[in-house]
Structures are given as C-alpha cells and as structure tokens.
Amino acid sequence: MSLFNRRKPEKLGLTTNSSVSKPRSTDAPHGPLALELTRLLGPQKVLSAPAERLNYGYDAILVGKTPLCVVLAESTADVVTAVRVAKAAGVPIVGRGAASGLSGGAAPLVESLVISFTRMTRLDIFAERREARAQAGVITLAVSEAARPHGLVYPPDPASFRTSTIGGNLGENAGGPMCFKYGVSGDYVKGLQFVDVDGDVHELTRDAYDLAGLLIGSEGTLGFITEATLRLVTPPKFTRTLMSHFAEVGQAAEAVSRSIAAGAVPAKLEFMDRACTNAVEDYLNIGLPRGAEAVLLVDTDGEDLATVEEELALVEAACQQHGGSVRRAEGELESAALWRARRSISPALGRIRPQRMNEDIVVPRSALPEVVREIRALGEASGFHLVQFGHIGDGNLHPNILFDPRRESSEKVHELAYQVALVALRHGGVLSGEHGIGAMKRAFMRDAVDPVTLDALWAVKRALDPQERLNPGKVLPGDTDLPHGSAYARP
Amino acid sequence: MSLFNRRKPEKLGLTTNSSVSKPRSTDAPHGPLALELTRLLGPQKVLSAPAERLNYGYDAILVGKTPLCVVLAESTADVVTAVRVAKAAGVPIVGRGAASGLSGGAAPLVESLVISFTRMTRLDIFAERREARAQAGVITLAVSEAARPHGLVYPPDPASFRTSTIGGNLGENAGGPMCFKYGVSGDYVKGLQFVDVDGDVHELTRDAYDLAGLLIGSEGTLGFITEATLRLVTPPKFTRTLMSHFAEVGQAAEAVSRSIAAGAVPAKLEFMDRACTNAVEDYLNIGLPRGAEAVLLVDTDGEDLATVEEELALVEAACQQHGGSVRRAEGELESAALWRARRSISPALGRIRPQRMNEDIVVPRSALPEVVREIRALGEASGFHLVQFGHIGDGNLHPNILFDPRRESSEKVHELAYQVALVALRHGGVLSGEHGIGAMKRAFMRDAVDPVTLDALWAVKRALDPQERLNPGKVLPGDTDLPHGSAYARP
C-alpha cells in the first residue's frame, strides 16, 4: 500500500516551517554557492536572498548564524546535489527539519549551507510488514495518522510531534512521555537511507556495524538521514489515567519506584514541581493543587482492561502509601482534561518570560528528590525563575530556566544551566534524555564524558566527516570551541 | 542488591569452556609474549603451552589458527594489560566467550593473542532499577536465573544460552526464538564498558553517538566489551503453545502473515521444513508429521490469560484457513514436549553428518515460500544434505548444510553457502539475523553491501582500530582476503 502525504499541513491541523509556502523572491541568486545550486536544482528549491535566509539561522531555542544559502530539498537526489556543491565549495552543511528541537541542533553556528527537509514528505505504509517508510520531512504525527486506518501506530511522541519531522526526531533520537514503556525514536528504526559528507547514498539495515544506530542521535554531524523504515505497533486498546499530588518530591519519587517494583509499567509517568504546577494553574485555572510540591500524572495502557485497571490500582496504592492524594480520571474526557495540564506547560511558561532554556537531564530515580531540591536551590540563588517537570519514570527531568533576553544575560542563563547539568552528573546522571546535546550542552560534554571516550567519539566523527563540515559545533566539544549561539533568544 | 556468580557452572547445570577448569601446565611460558603476560598477570591467567592453546583456535563452526597465547582474564584490568602487551608486540587480538557462535567470530584467522572472558562472571542484579550489570563472561541463562527471584528475566534466548556468554551474545548481537516479540540482545543494553585497541577503558551510555550500539554486533573488531548494563523485564504470566503442519511451505508462511495481520504477536514462531522435521523425528520418535512440508511451532504469551488464548485462537484460525492441521498443547507438559522437537534440531542433525554449516539469512516473510523452494533445489543439486528451519516470524531462516569434512570438500560447502546467501539477497534479504557475519559470511558482504557503504564501514573500523589488529578477517571484506578458516571442521 502506498500513501503520499500530499494533503496540506493545515488540513492535518499541523503547522510547518513558514518559509516553505511563502512566495519566493524573484531576485537573482545571491553569491556563487546559490548560483551553482540554482543552476543544478532550479530557483524553486534555493533560497538566497537575506530576508529568506534569516529564519533558517535559528531554531526553537537558539539563534545561530544566518546561513549562506538554503536548499529546500524535495528528494534524496536534491540532497546529494546540495552536499556535492557544498563539498566543492568547502562550505559546512547543517540539516534542518521543523527546527522545533530544544538543544540548538538545527541552528548553524558558522556560515553554512542549510538543507531543509520539510518538503521531503513521502510516506508509505506497509501494513502487512508493520512498517512505514518515511522521508526525513514527514511530520511525526503523520506517521500514526496514516497507519491508524490499518490498526497501527508509531509510538514516539515528542512534545512537538504535530510539527517535528522524522528526520529531526532521529537526528536527536527524540523521546516523549511514551518513552518509559515504548522506547525512544531510534528503537523504531529498522533501516535508514543516509547521504554522507561526499554525497554518496547509503541504504543501511541494522546489521553488523550498526551505522544506522550511530547516525541516530548524531544531530547531522555524521551524515544526513533522508529516509527511514519505521516499525509500527498495534495501539493499546485501553488507557486509564490518574493524577496524584504530594507534600514532598521524595514521596512522589518513592511512589513511582514502588509502583514499578510492584509490577506496573505505566505508559506515561509525568512529574511537575510546585513552580510548574502553579505556572500551569495560572494559565488554565482548572484547580490544580497549588500547594503540592509534586504532581504525578500517570497513564496505564494495554490490551486487556482488567490488567490496565490492575496496573492503575498498583500505582494508586503506591501513591497513597507514600502520602499522595489520588484522583482517578472517570472516562476519556476527564483523562484528556488532566493531560491538558501537562500539555499546557510550554504555553504557560511562555507567559512568565519570553524565553526559556530547557534542560533534559536523566538521573537515577532514587536520586530525584535530592536532585530536584538542589536544582530548586540553584534557581532560587540565581534569581531566575526555574521550573521542573519531566518523565519521572525514566528519571528524565526538564529543569527550565525562564528569562527575558532583553534584560537578562544569556551568559548567566548558560552558567546556571551548567550548574544544573553538574548536579545531574554528580548524581550519576546524564546530560540528555531526549533533546540531544546540540550546541547548548556541548561544552558540558567535557564533564560528562571521559577524555579517552571523547577521543574515541572524535575518531568516529573524523572517520565520517574528516574536514568537520557537518553541523560544526554540535555534540562533541572541540579544541577551539565555537560559541554556543549568540543568545538563547529570538533575533 | 549484589550477587556474585561464584557457584561452579556445573551446579547451575551449565557447561563452560573446558580449558578454564583443566589443570595448568607447569612449563615455563612459551615465547616472549607469554613471558611478558605471565610476568604482569601471573601464571594462572596465561596459557602458552601448545596443548593448552590448541582448542582456542576454533569455535562451534570454524577451525582457525591456534593462538600464540591465551589470557584468561578475570577483570577489566587484566583485559587492559593483555591489550597493552599485544599492542606493544604488534600482535592481533581475538576476544572469546564460550565460542558457541555459528559464524566463526571467535576463531582466530591469523596468529593472535586470544583473550578469554569466561572467568569474568561477576553479576549484579538491581531489581528496583530493573537492571543487571554483567561482566562479559556471565553465561546468558545465569542472568535470568539470578533475576527470577526478583520477578524479572532477561529475554534474549539464543539456542546456546546455557553455555554462551553475554560478551559473545553482544559481540554477535545474538537473537533467539523470543526475538520476534522481545527483540535481540542489543535491545536490552543500557550501557557498556569496553576496552579499546590502546587498552583504554570506556564507560558508555546510549547517548549521542551511540558507540555502544556500534560495538554491539561488531564481533570484537572495534574493541572488547567487558561489562554491560542489561535491561530486565517481568516475565509473561501465561504461555500457550500450538503446533501446525502444512502440505506446502507457502501455506505456513501465509498462515503466519495472516496471524500477525489479525493482531497476534506470538512470543515465538518457529518453522521446520520436511527434511528438518524428519531428522528430528528420526532422533526423538515422537510422532512428528513426516509428510508435512512445513511445521510451525507457536507460543503466545502475556499478562492476561484471555488475551493469550485469544492470540493463540487467531493463530489457530489462520493456520486452519491456510490448510494447516493444528494441535494445541494441553498444559505445560505437552507444551514442553512440542518445544523439545525444536530444541532437538542440533543433536538430530549431528547424527546425520558430523559437521554442519549453519546459515542465518533473513528474508521478507512474503518471499519465504519461494526462498525455501530455491534453497531446497540448490541442496538437491549439490548432493549435500540440506535442512531448513528458523524464526519464521522475523523471516529468519537457518538453512543448514550437513557434511562430513573427512569425505566432503569444505570449498564445495562454502560455494553452496554462497549460493544460499545469494538467494536471500536476490529476494531483498540480508546475510545474518542473529549469528553475525564472522569469518563465514565475510566474503558474501561484497554482494550484500554497496561498495560506498563498505567504505564507510571501513572508515569507522579504521577510526577505532587503525592497524586492523582486532579480530582480523571478520565482518568486513578486505583488499587481501584472509582465508575463511582452514575447514568447517573439527581439527
């Protein structure tokens, strides 16, 4: 069965990168790179006027350098052409999906050619094989929308899944609330097509030397993922939801550990701290417990209703044993209302300060109470507004530093983010659960990864990109560190 | 909770590499390499007498070169010492677990230092985190045995799991019947410790640049996995079994496809062809259907008995719709009896010819009938006894060429194996599902992988092993091909 995702994004209720549909400049190409690309690809696929290039210089979190030129690739062949032209010109290349990433992965840090994948939206569903084949620009949610009529879904659910692309998700190995039970994006990849730094096309399965696995999460620094074969699964028949709130973060963390130890494997296990809960309540006014230090939001799901309810009962009992007040959602409407609180975190925080720096640490669940406490103290000492939430089942915490770039120093934001990262590392955690390292946490890698292991990662990087032309300044810290963007702010 | 696997393997009902427990030679170390290693590690950890080294020259399928020296490492520090001494001497190194692999991965092809991991058997279970930390020499089954008292298991179940080691399993990314539903060994790895070609020790999580994932399945050609953090899961509460037999292979393949399309996700889905069924029946005499062209053996499992039985009913209906006769196991004893047929394939084939060459192709399920037919025709034309079985849910087929190395030419066996591999590739398949490429299928890689992708794989290999001293002659075909072992035979 073949399905082309030709419907307009608007009809799907999805947003997409605004530049794709805006009228093109009629100017002649700017500069020799654009001239050559226009000659080979035609004017409809190349943006070179300054006004057109401007918004390809930043992503959801970071302002980088405005690119020299942008290619709006429509096929793998276009990507090959763009890569070869950039190679001949000695120009770095940055790949870009919907640019909704939260680590600065898609923002160029040096003058580069940007290859945008948002026009590569071909999507085929192979229901019998339980597979989808998606081009890099397919919007994440579109995979499940196309698969659902066949009784199948694609589980990875990053918060931005209505806008983010499969290529971007794989570049950052994106997660989402479903991660705890269902795994991250890379766990669903059966094969990849990628274009290397020389413009050669590779079809990879996940065999000996899992090069596909190496490319997943490498943020476009080793090559460009152009297509992926994705594993689809049958969606759970039943889902049940509860919310619980606690006087102490430690109680919530212990309730989670006890639930899991008792045999529950919730599909989603979300945590919000007091500051986060209050921000959402200010925004929605739906009666969230303002005095609670921790709110848990939990889904159990599965094939069998009795088992799903039994799992929810295990979670409920564990919450109550650790002092939590529990509210079970009666029916889908109430469940949706509870989840609306979680989904509203981003807009709620946006009302407090115009900009935020979103961390993505992962710590052992047992360390969560201490980690949350230490990070809150850092926030209070810094004077910044800091909120914490995340996928507590995985120990994946998103401390968010809220700030106003017009009045507050991005260096101080970065310093606080660094201190937060160090808390995670001190407690045996890691820097990123699902957002990637990008530009934002690149300097922190020296604290997270042993020098000999960094050398090994660099050896692999140089094997696939000897001249360091692919997304320079991302993931691996270098000898001469590039700036981590001009500011964590919109231009 | 910490647990040391100090019990003797015999007490666990497990077998292990015979050399570990045999009395050591009292001779002085043979040669300068052994002298230096003995000086640094002590005589109990170094084998250098010719008689001691002899059986480290072959594995379950391939006879290679007798190693120059063998180190019986007891710790990561011992591995580091061995790697550094080999580096200083410019000697290649081959890692070795239980040597039960079926692609020749553990058999040295040139004069090498062998590092045996069978003494590295430390195993810690962290029940709260649902994790195990295992040294490379821990026997696969021992992980589940240690985890079961905590209500947890480690699902990967390669046929040799009573003898194979975690290090070997990860080196080959081993599978097993449970693969279809539960995934292969690498899917359970949360982190790795590995020793690189310089003797540096790395602790890897599965973050940006998934070096851990690259090492898994790389057969010791990029470094040595010394420890792994493994994900544990709760075992299914209920399991149900059926056997079905068919007059045509195509009917069985269609029954499998229809079962899966109907929503069944069997835990195991095994296939035996007529020759295989007859070999097992000759051996066990338990009333297997000798006239059937295809026998399917199916387990469904899960948390909820009604769902497990519903899934089995879906499989049963699909089998019957495609002309299969179905026998449902009534109770655990009958289920065990049916699975005994599958588990007896190896000894049954061993009675026919003393040696076998075990392929491991994976093809789209829809291509299975044609693939099975073509391979059977190749076997008949060759004069060799050829049987086929495998994990049909994944399309993973094990055509086995049975032969007597005293009377039959190993070149002809290899040529037939090559023709079998070409059938798989012609039908859009791959060379290896769970055994690895090793030495046996290395030359076939040229047919399976595009030259530009082979170049990329070589670039990664050289980044981590510039002088090609790690398990030379495995996985990637080189400019100067090494022999693929002196014979597919015992010495």
Side-chain angles (χ1 to χ4, degrees), chain A residues 128 130 202 204 207-211 213 217-218 221-222 260 265 304 307 365 432 452-453 457 459 461 463 475-476, chain B residues 128 130 202 204 207-211 213 217-218 221-222 260 265 304 307 365 432 452-453 457 459 461 463 475-476:
Chain A
E128 278 231 344
R130 297 187 169 209
H202 305 262
L204 303 175
D207 289 318
Y209 282 30
D210 184 9
L211 198 50
S218 72
T221 63
L222 303 177
I260 295 168
V265 185
D304 175 62
T307 307
R365 261 197 323 270
S432 172
V452 294
T453 301
L457 299 177
K461 160 74 174 172
V475 190
L476 298 183
Chain B
E128 279 231 342
R130 296 188 169 209
H202 305 263
L204 303 175
D207 290 316
Y209 284 28
D210 185 10
L211 198 50
S218 72
T221 63
L222 303 177
I260 295 169
V265 185
D304 176 63
T307 307
R365 261 199 321 272
S432 172
V452 294
T453 301
L457 299 178
K461 159 75 172 173
V475 190
L476 299 182

Side-chain angles (χ1 to χ4, degrees), chain A residues 36 44 64 67 77 89 92 111 134 155 192 228 243 255 262 284 286 294 330 368 457:
Chain A
E36 177 66 359
Q44 296 303 320
E111 290 201 325
L192 284 185
M243 182 181 273
L284 292 180
I286 52 171
E330 303 297 336
L368 268 171
L457 299 177

Side-chain angles (χ1 to χ4, degrees), chain B residues 86-109:
Chain B
K87 183 187 178 186
V91 170
I93 315 171
V94 179
R96 182 182 178 96
S100 54
L102 294 172
S103 63
L109 296 190

Side-chain angles (χ1 to χ4, degrees), chain A residues 433-464:
Chain A
E434 54 180 19
H435 296 168
I437 298 298
M440 216 175 71
K441 284 164 285 185
R442 181 177 173 247
F444 311 166
M445 284 283 275
R446 288 193 206 284
D447 297 287
V449 182
D450 206 77
V452 294
T453 301
L454 273 183
D455 284 350
L457 299 177
W458 266 115
V460 170
K461 160 74 174 172
R462 291 201 180 102
L464 294 173

Side-chain angles (χ1 to χ4, degrees), chain B residues 318 449 464:
Chain B
V449 182
L464 295 173

Side-chain angles (χ1 to χ4, degrees), chain B residues 425-485:
Chain B
L425 296 176
R426 257 203 316 276
H427 288 275
V430 299
L431 295 179
S432 172
E434 55 180 17
H435 296 170
I437 298 299
M440 216 176 70
K441 284 165 283 186
R442 181 177 174 245
F444 311 165
M445 283 283 275
R446 289 193 206 283
D447 297 286
V449 182
D450 207 77
V452 294
T453 301
L454 271 184
D455 284 350
L457 299 178
W458 265 114
V460 170
K461 159 75 172 173
R462 292 202 179 102
L464 295 173
D465 179 22
Q467 289 158 331
E468 298 175 35
R469 286 194 305 104
L470 302 182
N471 211 358
K474 305 297 168 65
V475 190
L476 299 182
D479 295 332
T480 53
D481 262 320
L482 291 166
H484 35 74

